[in-house]
Amino acid sequence: MERKKWRTTISWHFDGEAYVRGYKLKDLIGNLSFTEAIYLVLKGELPSEKEKKMLDAVFVATVEHSIAPPSVIAGRAVASGGNSLHVGVGAGVLAFGEAHGGALEGAMRFIQENVEKDPSEVVKRYLDEGKRIPGYGHRYYKDYDPRSKRIMEIAKEIGFFGRYCQFALEVEKEIERVKGKKLVMNVDGAIAAVVSEMGFDWRLGKGFFIIGRIPGIVAHVYEELTTEKPFSKRLDEEKEVEYLGEKPRELPESYKRN
Ligand SMILES: CC(C)(COP(=O)(O)OP(=O)(O)OC[C@H]1O[C@@H](n2cnc3c(N)ncnc32)[C@H](O)[C@@H]1OP(=O)(O)O)[C@@H](O)C(=O)NCCC(=O)NCCS
């Protein structure tokens, strides 16, 4: 039979009924928690109790982390320009990158591709090449990231602390040994380790952060739209901006065409 242009394994309709990963959608409603439904959609199977608990912890750890990150600034700034909620939220998601949220993909890839290797050699290679190791370092947390600590505790409690978590912690120690200062395993690093334990592929990495953080961005954009004046998210040029350009100058005569 000729293969059709679009193909999917995720959901389908049979006899007028919607099915997700083979289960009737109506049976999932009221029976599955949101996290269980997310696991089903991403993994294709229903989670065990401990998989659900681990993924729940991942999403709660990600849900919000102040007004300061680029995604919230972008979301609120775009909303303050007179746009509706989805436009602000979309702008916030587009701010995710290698230094914020997007590091989860890099951290998962780093852990999955190097877990069999000697952590000290891996760290040395990265640092010698002047590369940043995704999942380590934080602007505020210099001793430990409380979110990572809690995720690791839960992983230990429910039996998800395996070779990926072990490797991630050894890398943290090794960076400190080589650099002579601590770069904490941040929330991306900790999540990368536990979702690797759960068998998720690194190419899904950014998805965990997007799913977890969107509620926080929605709340911020909603707050912006309902409590702040439009156009309030502009810079105070006198206080906040340093001008480094040319001093005022005359347009050359040859360009004065009127
Ligand atoms: C998150 C991050 C931007 C915070 O940066 P910061 O605390 O302001 O640190 P700086 O950018 O000022 O860097 C300070 C020093 O640590 C180094 N450093 C910071 N993070 C590093 C990392 N992940 N790997 C290797 N070196 C790192 C810098 O190269 C710099 O070294 P130097 O003092 O020898 O020049 C940074 O640690 C980073 O890029 N981490 C990797 C990406 C990541 O995991 N992001 C998710 C954040 S939740």
Side-chain angles (χ1 to χ4, degrees):
M1 202 174 84
E2 194 194 338
R3 293 196 85 190
K4 291 188 181 167
K5 188 173 175 184
W6 286 67
R7 295 176 288 277
T8 183
T9 58
I10 301 167
S11 58
W12 200 244
H13 287 265
F14 294 100
D15 301 327
E17 188 82 48
Y19 286 77
V20 176
R21 297 292 193 184
Y23 296 107
K24 277 184 190 153
L25 178 57
K26 74 173 181 209
D27 290 344
L28 306 181
I29 302 167
N31 282 317
L32 261 60
S33 72
F34 190 38
T35 299
E36 286 172 316
I38 294 168
Y39 185 100
L40 174 66
V41 169
L42 295 180
K43 221 26 180 354
E45 294 300 333
L46 292 165
S48 66
E49 194 54 36
K50 70 175 200 173
E51 285 163 335
K52 172 196 156 183
K53 196 168 175 195
M54 197 68 253
L55 202 55
D56 247 341
V58 164
F59 290 140
V60 174
T62 326
V63 75
E64 166 63 7
H65 203 246
S66 98
I67 195 169
S71 54
V72 178
I73 294 172
R76 292 187 78 130
V78 168
S80 102
N83 289 297
S84 56
L85 190 116
H86 72 288
V87 181
V89 172
V93 171
L94 290 176
F96 294 153
E98 291 312 309
H100 169 47
L104 189 44
E105 178 182 301
M108 280 176 79
R109 186 175 191 176
F110 170 78
I111 291 173
Q112 290 178 13
E113 288 184 349
N114 292 302
V115 67
E116 302 297 345
K117 300 179 189 153
D118 177 350
S120 62
E121 277 171 26
V122 175
V123 168
K124 185 176 179 314
R125 181 164 47 82
Y126 264 73
L127 297 184
D128 284 352
E129 290 171 10
K131 290 201 295 204
R132 291 190 172 212
I133 303 177
Y136 297 88
H138 198 273
R139 191 121 308 161
Y140 304 112
Y141 302 127
K142 299 298 175 194
D143 192 15
Y144 67 92
D145 182 334
R147 301 165 298 176
S148 308
K149 187 166 179 272
R150 192 66 197 116
I151 286 170
M152 286 293 137
E153 281 167 6
I154 295 168
K156 277 186 185 152
E157 274 164 36
I158 63 178
F160 267 117
F161 191 95
R163 64 193 183 121
Y164 295 99
C165 293
Q166 192 63 46
F167 177 81
L169 285 174
E170 280 168 21
V171 166
E172 186 186 40
K173 275 193 210 139
E174 198 51 35
I175 295 174
E176 185 175 6
R177 197 184 65 76
V178 176
K179 279 189 85 72
K181 76 169 186 182
K182 191 163 190 179
L183 292 177
V184 298
M185 178 170 63
N186 59 43
V187 73
D188 289 324
I191 292 174
V194 295
V195 296
S196 296
E197 300 285 357
M198 294 169 82
F200 284 106
D201 175 50
W202 63 263
R203 293 165 194 83
L204 257 178
K206 285 182 179 136
F208 293 103
F209 197 83
I210 293 168
I211 294 166
R213 185 53 65 86
I214 278 184
I217 298 178
V218 169
H220 275 286
V221 172
Y222 174 72
E223 185 177 72
E224 183 68 35
L225 291 173
T226 53
T227 63
E228 301 287 330
K229 285 187 184 154
F231 210 65
S232 68
K233 292 298 169 284
R234 61 187 301 280
L235 294 166
D236 179 333
E237 286 164 352
E238 296 304 319
K239 286 191 193 149
E240 294 171 294
V241 182
E242 190 182 352
Y243 177 66
L244 301 171
E246 298 284 353
K247 296 221 165 53
R249 52 181 170 167
E250 275 297 316
L251 187 68
E253 284 304 317
S254 60
Y255 280 83
K256 290 184 180 166
R257 286 163 184 146
N258 290 310

